[in-house]
Amino acid sequence: KRMLLEFKRKIIIRLRSVLFEESSLTRLQKENPYDVNFVEPMHNHNMSPEKLLCELRDAMSGQVKPLRPEDVEDPELRRMLTTKPLFGKDEHYEKCAIVSNAGALRNSYLGAEIDKHDLVLRFNHAPTIDHEVDVGTKTTIRILNSQVASKPEFDFTSSSLYKNIKILIWDPMPFRGTLQVWLRNPEFNFFRSFIKYKSQHPDSNVAIVNPEELWKLWMYLQQHTYSKMRLNPPSSGYLGLALLLPHCSTINMFEFVPSHRMTSTCHYFSPLIDSTCTTGVWHPLAAEKLLYLALNTASDETVFNKGYVTIAGYSTLKC
Ligand code: C5P
């Protein structure tokens, strides 16, 4: 037990020190590619998980909004967006799992536990084949960044990784950007491959995030973090949490807060060594991970030995 507390302390100190390093003013002024307005960090550090979640729900007006047909002028793209929503009106799951891509999942033996969930969310091109013992076999939904959805090496339109599941794609726009400018000039142009995918799979359940939502998530995070954060969009992991909160009673997030298996290997499926994948160099990952800890209701044993945090869905809240 003492070792567990010692490890928890070490992780929190590490995440906080990354956060403070990022907040050094000179660095922020130099690196603001999305032209983000300054937002005051919070001053109340002691909110309960329930209060934090109630405020997140309010900040997002209940859910992460997709790009809708009426947002778009291009007739072809508009036609492809006119389909069923990612989640039906009464679609609800009891237990949901969000599986990170962290190297710490390797040799975790969490696969069977992950597969017990009613819904499993994964990211980008993360495989399950050859990693079943550690990450399970079930995939209900994938969140893809626009690089994975557009670059030929990820094979979005033909790989079996992206078949027969729900898919949500995101691409960032400048903080004060407009949808019309972003639609003409996304960061990575995935619209062609989105249209191709939809034409090949007309019944598929694939949606695009309205990029305004990414900055709402960023602002909530900044307002609930006690020092200034990186001025870049949040990571797919935090978007995944916000996406599922309205649709799940309980969400277990696997290896988002680093467990005792923490490693400098970036992904469980690749030998690449890069410790910034876990504590963050581009996305405000450290702030995200401190938020998960503040929202968590699982024991230290579950978080730091087993490797997941537990977060209550909106339906359980009494705001
Ligand atoms: O690296 P990638 O973006 O594909 O990973 C998906 C998500 O998993 C990230 O957005 C991040 O939230 C989480 N992740 C992590 N630690 C890592 C790698 C990924 O927390 N080492």
Coordinates of all heavy atoms in Angstrom, one line a residue, residues 147 182 215 268 282:
Q147 N -5.3 12.9 -39.9 CA -4.1 12.3 -40.6 C -4.4 10.8 -40.9 O -4.1 10.4 -42.0 CB -2.9 12.4 -39.7 CG -2.4 13.8 -39.4 CD -1.0 13.8 -38.8 OE1 -0.1 13.2 -39.4 NE2 -0.8 14.5 -37.7
W182 N -12.7 26.7 -42.5 CA -12.1 25.4 -42.2 C -12.5 24.3 -43.2 O -11.7 23.5 -43.7 CB -12.6 24.9 -40.8 CG -12.2 23.5 -40.5 CD1 -11.0 23.0 -40.1 CD2 -13.1 22.4 -40.4 NE1 -11.1 21.7 -39.9 CE2 -12.4 21.3 -40.1 CE3 -14.5 22.3 -40.7 CZ2 -13.0 20.0 -39.9 CZ3 -15.1 21.0 -40.6 CH2 -14.3 19.9 -40.2
W215 N -12.4 23.3 -29.2 CA -12.0 24.4 -28.4 C -12.9 24.6 -27.2 O -12.4 25.1 -26.2 CB -12.0 25.7 -29.3 CG -10.9 25.6 -30.3 CD1 -11.0 25.6 -31.7 CD2 -9.5 25.4 -30.0 NE1 -9.8 25.4 -32.2 CE2 -8.8 25.3 -31.3 CE3 -8.7 25.3 -28.9 CZ2 -7.4 25.1 -31.4 CZ3 -7.3 25.1 -29.0 CH2 -6.7 25.0 -30.2
Y268 N 1.5 0.6 -27.7 CA 1.6 -0.9 -27.4 C 1.9 -1.7 -28.6 O 2.4 -2.8 -28.5 CB 0.4 -1.4 -26.6 CG -0.9 -1.4 -27.5 CD1 -1.2 -2.5 -28.3 CD2 -1.9 -0.4 -27.4 CE1 -2.3 -2.5 -29.1 CE2 -3.0 -0.4 -28.1 CZ -3.3 -1.5 -29.0 OH -4.4 -1.5 -29.7
W282 N 2.6 18.0 -27.4 CA 1.8 18.8 -28.3 C 0.4 19.0 -27.8 O 0.0 20.2 -27.6 CB 1.8 18.1 -29.7 CG 1.4 19.1 -30.8 CD1 2.2 20.0 -31.4 CD2 0.0 19.2 -31.3 NE1 1.4 20.7 -32.3 CE2 0.1 20.2 -32.3 CE3 -1.2 18.6 -31.0 CZ2 -1.0 20.6 -33.0 CZ3 -2.3 19.0 -31.8 CH2 -2.2 20.0 -32.7

